[in-house]
Amino acid sequence: MSNFIEDIIENDLASGKHSGIITRFPPEPNGYLHIGHVKSICLNYYGTAVKYGGKFNLRFDDTNPAKEDDEFVRSIVDDVKWLGVDTSNVLFASDYFQKMYECAVLLIKKGKAYVDDMSADEVRATRGTLTEPGVESKNRNRPIEESLKLFEDMKNGLVPDGALILRAKIDMASPNINMRDPVIYRVVHEVHHRQGDKWCIYPMYDFAHPIEDAIEGITHSICTLEFEDHRPLYDWIVRECEFENPPHQYEFARLAIKRTIMSKRYLKRLVDTGAVDGWDDPRMPTIAGLRRRGYTPSSLITFCEKIGVSKANSEVETGLLESCIRDELNANAPRAMAVLDPIELEIINRDDDYSEQLDFEVNPTVEGGEVRKTTISNRLYIERSDFEVTPPPKFKRLVLGGTVRLKGAYIIRAVDYEADGDRVVKVKAEIIEGTKSGQDNSGVKVKGVIHWVDAKTAVDIQANMYDYLLLDTEDKVDFSERMNPSSLEVRQAKAEAYLGQANKGTSFQFLRQGYFCRDIKSENNVFNLVVGLKDSYKK
Ligand code: ATP
Ligand code: MG
């Protein structure tokens, strides 16, 4: 099924309005990219430029020197590349400052812009409301020559921050407030991350953005719905600045996901206040965080295909995102056993020198797939919750006198245990002979299968158990009051020997536990929970 943007492009190509298309992704380098930006990248790159054989620009909208930083430029290029996007056209809006300045001068000369001395507060106070027109500034009709001179003074550093502004002269009574003589240039004495102190006047977003698109010959300027009311201003700017074949703006619904924060500004607050461990904390909805968590580019692209592109804002269930990576890892991830809350299990009918190699399928969903060897000896670890002294009703795992199968190995019977107060420290069990997996014709029935790790060959790992950053409470509350206090639980776990050699960034299915990715940053054996095994998302 095609979306409305594709319909527009196909019509434009069929009618000959455009012979080829050019799209762009225009981030402001004031933070790291998040999953919402992935939606925009997928739409502008895979969904349009690639699909229709067009061109794609990654353009930094770096017109606000106070908030922008080279660190953010680098991280954004990295993240966009990681998504598989061709980043050969990396462009910077700041490279167009001269052209923007010339456009502003042109507007003044045409009587379409004027220099005003109102403060930001005065501009706001005189803008009017939805029911009342705005109030014209006393400077609105100042002579063109005077505005030209004052604008030069602004450019030449003779004017302090905020003392003068350049405004488009449109219509203070327009029903669209964006058209009521919007500010298009302001004085900012700050060092720009690329231009240094070359400029001390900076264009406003609504003025700069259409010019950037027009200079690059963007055919379809795709942005989120909140800019719909800005479109008349966009059209006014490209028309009055006399661009030929001006671009056209189309709006789509931004992505919002339940229990997730989706704005660089707020994500920055989490980083700056230390609520998370940096922009790439695996709980963050940033591309860097998702990548460290174990998400793959293809899982994010699949997610964006599934949510589609529409004109209606809505909140997507987190489970949909999770199902995309789960499906992928179920098909691809090697299996392993790890015990996240270990207690010792001693096999009393095997000696200290007992050691046997057992075969395990690396991935049972792959027919005729690889087999790995796992060692079993007389000392194992099992999960604390898999043994109960006083079991609740319907408990299917190990109890005193009861039997259970050790995954891929033997059926055992628990015969004794040792405790320190209430806390069990060791279980003693015996192997029931003739019950080896795959060769069992003993007829012994068990209710449960549990995972285990051989204590003598186990490696120590740290398992980071992640939960959502936000509590599932009313969305109205400020997010700082919705922080989930148990969004990270660190476990010192025991794992099969081969996890000790896992490459950074490789994901595994820990049997009965979930999918875990070997952390890409840590030099230690740290594994991050990607997603649980169960699909709680109802399709
Ligand atoms: P933020 O509030 O997170 O900073 P932004 O829109 O200010 O977002 P930009 O860097 O200006 O961030 O965004 C670059 C592009 O990404 C824009 O075209 C914007 O429309 C798009 N975008 C931002 N957030 C989302 C989202 N949640 N869903 C879809 N597209 C988005
Ligand atoms: Mg922004």
Coordinates of all heavy atoms in Angstrom, one line a residue, residues 25-28 34 36-37 40 224 252 254-255 262-264, ligand 1:
F25 N 17.3 15.3 4.8 CA 17.0 15.1 6.2 C 17.8 16.3 6.9 O 19.0 16.3 6.7 CB 17.5 13.8 6.7 CG 17.4 13.6 8.2 CD1 16.2 13.7 8.9 CD2 18.6 13.5 9.0 CE1 16.1 13.6 10.2 CE2 18.5 13.4 10.3 CZ 17.3 13.4 11.0
P26 N 17.1 17.2 7.6 CA 17.7 18.4 8.0 C 17.9 18.5 9.6 O 17.2 19.4 10.2 CB 16.8 19.5 7.5 CG 15.4 18.8 7.7 CD 15.6 17.3 7.6
P27 N 18.7 17.7 10.2 CA 18.7 17.8 11.7 C 19.5 19.1 12.2 O 20.4 19.5 11.5 CB 19.5 16.6 12.1 CG 20.4 16.3 10.9 CD 19.6 16.7 9.7
E28 N 19.1 19.6 13.3 CA 19.8 20.6 14.0 C 20.9 19.9 14.8 O 20.5 19.0 15.6 CB 18.9 21.5 14.8 CG 19.6 22.7 15.3 CD 18.8 23.6 16.3 OE1 17.6 23.3 16.4 OE2 19.4 24.5 16.9
H34 N 17.2 10.5 17.5 CA 16.4 9.5 18.2 C 15.6 8.8 17.2 O 15.6 9.0 16.0 CB 15.6 10.2 19.3 CG 14.8 11.4 18.8 ND1 13.7 11.3 17.9 CD2 14.8 12.7 19.2 CE1 13.2 12.5 17.7 NE2 13.9 13.3 18.5
G36 N 12.6 8.9 16.4 CA 11.7 9.7 15.6 C 12.4 10.2 14.4 O 11.8 10.2 13.3
H37 N 13.7 10.5 14.5 CA 14.5 10.9 13.3 C 14.6 9.8 12.4 O 14.7 10.0 11.2 CB 15.8 11.4 13.8 CG 15.8 12.7 14.6 ND1 16.1 12.8 15.9 CD2 15.4 14.0 14.2 CE1 16.0 14.0 16.3 NE2 15.5 14.8 15.4
S40 N 11.9 9.8 10.0 CA 12.1 10.9 9.0 C 13.2 10.4 8.0 O 13.0 10.6 6.7 CB 12.5 12.2 9.7 OG 12.8 13.2 8.7
T224 N 7.4 17.5 9.7 CA 6.4 17.0 10.6 C 5.2 18.0 10.7 O 5.4 19.2 10.4 CB 6.9 16.6 12.0 OG1 8.0 17.5 12.3 CG2 7.6 15.2 12.0
F252 N 4.0 15.3 7.6 CA 3.5 13.9 8.0 C 3.5 13.9 9.5 O 4.1 14.8 10.2 CB 4.4 12.8 7.4 CG 5.8 12.8 8.0 CD1 6.1 11.8 9.0 CD2 6.7 13.7 7.6 CE1 7.3 11.8 9.5 CE2 8.0 13.6 8.2 CZ 8.3 12.7 9.1
R254 N 4.5 13.0 13.2 CA 5.7 12.6 13.9 C 5.5 11.3 14.7 O 4.4 11.0 15.0 CB 6.2 13.8 14.8 CG 5.4 14.1 16.0 CD 5.8 15.4 16.6 NE 7.1 15.3 17.2 CZ 8.1 16.0 16.8 NH1 8.0 16.9 15.9 NH2 9.3 15.9 17.4
L255 N 6.6 10.7 14.9 CA 6.5 9.4 15.7 C 6.5 9.7 17.2 O 7.3 10.5 17.6 CB 7.7 8.5 15.3 CG 7.9 7.3 16.2 CD1 6.8 6.3 16.0 CD2 9.2 6.6 15.9
M262 N 10.7 11.8 23.4 CA 11.1 12.0 22.0 C 11.4 13.4 21.6 O 10.8 13.9 20.7 CB 9.9 11.4 21.1 CG 10.3 11.1 19.7 SD 11.1 9.5 19.6 CE 9.7 8.5 19.6
S263 N 12.3 14.0 22.3 CA 12.7 15.3 21.9 C 14.2 15.5 22.4 O 14.5 15.2 23.5 CB 11.8 16.3 22.5 OG 12.5 17.6 22.5
K264 N 15.0 16.0 21.5 CA 16.4 16.2 21.8 C 16.6 17.0 23.1 O 17.4 16.8 23.9 CB 17.1 16.9 20.7 CG 17.4 16.0 19.5 CD 18.5 16.6 18.6 CE 17.9 16.8 17.2 NZ 17.6 18.2 16.8
Ligands
ATP1 P1 13.7 17.5 18.5 O1 12.5 18.1 19.2 O2 13.9 16.1 19.0 O3 15.0 18.3 18.6 P2 13.4 18.5 16.0 O4 12.3 18.4 15.0 O5 13.6 19.8 16.6 O6 13.3 17.4 17.0 P3 15.4 18.4 14.1 O7 16.9 18.2 14.3 O8 15.0 19.8 13.7 O9 14.8 18.0 15.4 O10 14.8 17.3 13.2 C1 15.2 17.0 11.9 C2 14.1 16.3 11.2 O11 13.6 15.2 11.9 C3 12.9 17.3 10.9 O12 12.6 17.2 9.6 C4 11.9 16.8 11.8 O13 10.6 17.0 11.3 C5 12.2 15.3 11.9 N1 11.7 14.7 13.2 C6 12.0 15.2 14.4 N2 11.3 14.5 15.4 C7 10.6 13.6 14.7 C8 9.7 12.5 15.1 N3 9.4 12.3 16.4 N4 9.0 11.8 14.1 C9 9.3 12.0 12.8 N5 10.2 13.0 12.4 C10 10.8 13.7 13.3

